Amino acid sequence: MADSGAKTETAGEALPLFYSRPEALNPARHGSLGLTARSDFSFARSAHAIPVVASEMPAAMRSYPIVFIGTAKAPVIITGLRQDENLFVDADGNWAGPHYIPAYVRRYPFILADDPKQPGRLTLCVDRASERVIDQLLAPFRDDKVLPFFSGNEATEATKQALAFCNQSRSTSGRPARWSTRSTRMPCSRRARAR
């Protein structure tokens, strides 16, 4: 079972930006869940600074100022002039075009986390608080197409793509995962893999 009170390695109780209920994906617990196929960036509406990695900077700098924050001088794009303001997300959750959408935003509600019980291993997690994560049993009552996380005990193509995207984002950042979960379901090697 995932630890809904996941902890960062350096910040105690803090969770990464946007995430409030991350859980390690596993077929027993999340077999009936899926992700709506629609793009909705409402979750980012109050983010005035969003992390980017070096490989994104050429595309991001065309639309946003980039600043370096903290002792690690981590790059972030500025999307608003005030705290809790993102000028690039409208009331319907659409990202203003033709502006670049950071990988940190595109990967949500997925994230990789260090497994504290198995150092050097990562786990693919999903934020259960995301409005895009729904039970497939409710899908007939929704207009959205739902992409399931699992087919039986196997990760679906959509889950494998999410894992690959998280791996790519992580490998280009040059930084280790910043928080951990206690779940050992769907463990991954340092370069995470879906089972």
Side-chain angles (χ1 to χ4, degrees):
M1 185 164 115
D3 179 8
S4 62
K7 295 180 166 91
T8 63
E9 295 172 356
T10 58
E13 294 294 323
L15 290 171
L17 177 66
F18 305 140
Y19 299 86
S20 60
R21 284 186 26 211
E23 295 179 0
L25 276 178
N26 71 67
R29 187 165 187 198
H30 304 104
S32 68
L33 298 181
L35 188 71
T36 58
R38 65 182 162 77
S39 293
D40 182 355
F41 300 106
S42 297
F43 65 89
R45 191 177 294 127
S46 64
H48 68 281
I50 299 172
V52 292
V53 296
S55 62
E56 294 181 279
M57 287 186 196
M61 68 186 217
R62 294 180 184 137
S63 297
Y64 318 98
I66 299 174
V67 298
F68 299 86
I69 61 170
T71 56
K73 305 293 185 235
V76 297
I77 60 166
I78 303 301
T79 58
L81 302 175
R82 295 174 190 83
Q83 185 132 354
D84 299 327
E85 170 186 71
N86 185 335
L87 299 172
F88 295 87
V89 179
D90 68 19
D92 295 324
N94 298 310
W95 200 276
H99 302 289
Y100 177 76
I101 303 171
Y104 192 92
V105 172
R106 288 181 281 134
R107 79 168 184 207
Y108 184 81
F110 298 100
I111 190 168
L112 291 177
D114 284 324
D115 183 343
K117 293 182 180 180
Q118 297 183 26
R121 294 177 72 82
L122 297 174
T123 300
L124 180 65
C125 300
V126 67
D127 189 359
R128 287 293 304 271
S130 171
E131 292 181 11
R132 291 186 59 208
V133 176
I134 64 164
D135 193 316
Q136 294 178 74
L137 300 175
L138 302 176
F141 305 107
R142 298 179 60 100
D143 293 332
D144 302 319
K145 178 181 177 186
V146 178
L147 304 171
F149 293 143
F150 295 96
S151 177
N153 287 329
E154 297 296 317
T156 62
E157 189 59 33
T159 302
K160 290 175 185 177
Q161 288 175 4
L163 179 60
F165 188 75
C166 287
N167 260 327
Q168 179 186 12
S169 298
R170 186 182 168 284
S171 67
T172 60
S173 73
R175 294 186 304 247
R178 296 183 49 201
W179 69 283
S180 62
T181 180
R182 293 193 178 153
S183 174
T184 57
R185 303 286 184 187
M186 203 169 168
C188 305
S189 67
R190 196 35 122 173
R191 183 125 172 108
R193 288 176 271 128
R195 287 187 172 182

